[in-house]
Amino acid sequence: IASGRGIASGRTIASGRTLCGALAFPATGILDNFNRANEGPPPSASWTTDVDSNGLRVISNQCGSPFQGDAAIWNTSFAANQEAYCTLKVLPVAAQSVELILRNQSATELRVAGCYRARFMPPTRINVIYVVDITETTIGADFDTVANMAVDDVLGVRISGSTITVYVNGVLQVTRTHGSITGAGRIALRHTDETARVDDFGGGAI
């Protein structure tokens, strides 16, 4: 990651060390850095395109799509306590978002079987959503960050038990609680805007 803004701890992204008794974010390594020739969808054989979208792809060493509402699911199912993160490289336009998904209960879709989404809508808006049977339910009120989200910020979300925590550059932004999905699942990435680009997608079991 070449952000210059960095993780709040100042430690390496895969350190998994603790800060003030809490597990630093992120505690897992990068899964895909997208540093290869343009390909997809999906971005590689390690991903599956969401059946309700045109799919994400590698575009100039970043992850994006020329269409709106596209998503890709990481093929590995992780234990219930898990996290996902990425580096924001091109901001979505106003009212659009980059979304990180946890505990997705399907290998092929993001709207029916059940999942949790952290929705990042620069410059400041974050919300946490429970999705099942094509219904989105916002968990708690929308939250606004103090500082504007910017290029090279690391966006992240973690779930442990029923507690969902959302981070920007390793700094906790908001905590929500929800207990409908308790088991293992897949992590995923979604863009609602065709201009958004991200890099260095990571995550896994914690």
Side-chain angles (χ1 to χ4, degrees), residues 11 18-23:
R11 294 172 180 160
T18 57
L19 293 177
C20 302
L23 189 65

Side-chain angles (χ1 to χ4, degrees), residues 151-173:
V151 170
D152 289 326
D153 279 355
V154 179
L155 314 177
V157 60
R158 170 181 289 165
I159 188 164
S160 181
S162 61
T163 301
I164 304 166
T165 46
V166 183
Y167 301 83
V168 176
N169 294 326
V171 178
L172 177 64
Q173 302 293 318

Side-chain angles (χ1 to χ4, degrees), residues 110-111 113-117 129-133 135-137 181:
L110 295 170
R111 302 180 66 207
C115 68
Y116 293 113
R117 297 185 188 179
I129 301 164
Y130 168 57
V131 183
V132 69
D133 293 332
T135 300
E136 296 187 1
T137 302
I181 305 173

Side-chain angles (χ1 to χ4, degrees), residues 6-116:
I7 304 302
S9 66
R11 294 172 180 160
T12 58
I13 197 163
S15 69
R17 297 178 184 175
T18 57
L19 293 177
C20 302
L23 189 65
F25 190 94
T28 53
I30 292 170
L31 296 171
D32 196 337
N33 62 16
F34 308 108
N35 290 341
R36 54 188 176 273
N38 291 356
E39 66 171 313
S44 76
S46 296
W47 299 84
T48 295
T49 294
D50 169 39
V51 296
D52 294 315
S53 79
N54 291 299
L56 297 175
R57 60 202 72 196
V58 177
I59 303 173
S60 301
N61 297 315
Q62 297 171 358
C63 183
S65 172
F67 308 103
Q68 292 184 335
D70 286 338
I73 303 164
W74 190 253
N75 288 338
T76 303
S77 180
F78 295 107
N81 292 346
Q82 56 186 240
E83 66 184 21
Y85 60 92
C86 63
T87 301
L88 186 60
K89 301 303 289 186
V90 180
L91 276 65
V93 298
Q96 299 300 317
S97 65
V98 169
E99 299 176 3
L100 292 165
I101 291 103
L102 297 179
R103 286 187 187 169
N104 193 56
Q105 297 299 290
S106 170
T108 59
E109 58 82 21
L110 295 170
R111 302 180 66 207
V112 178
C115 68
Y116 293 113

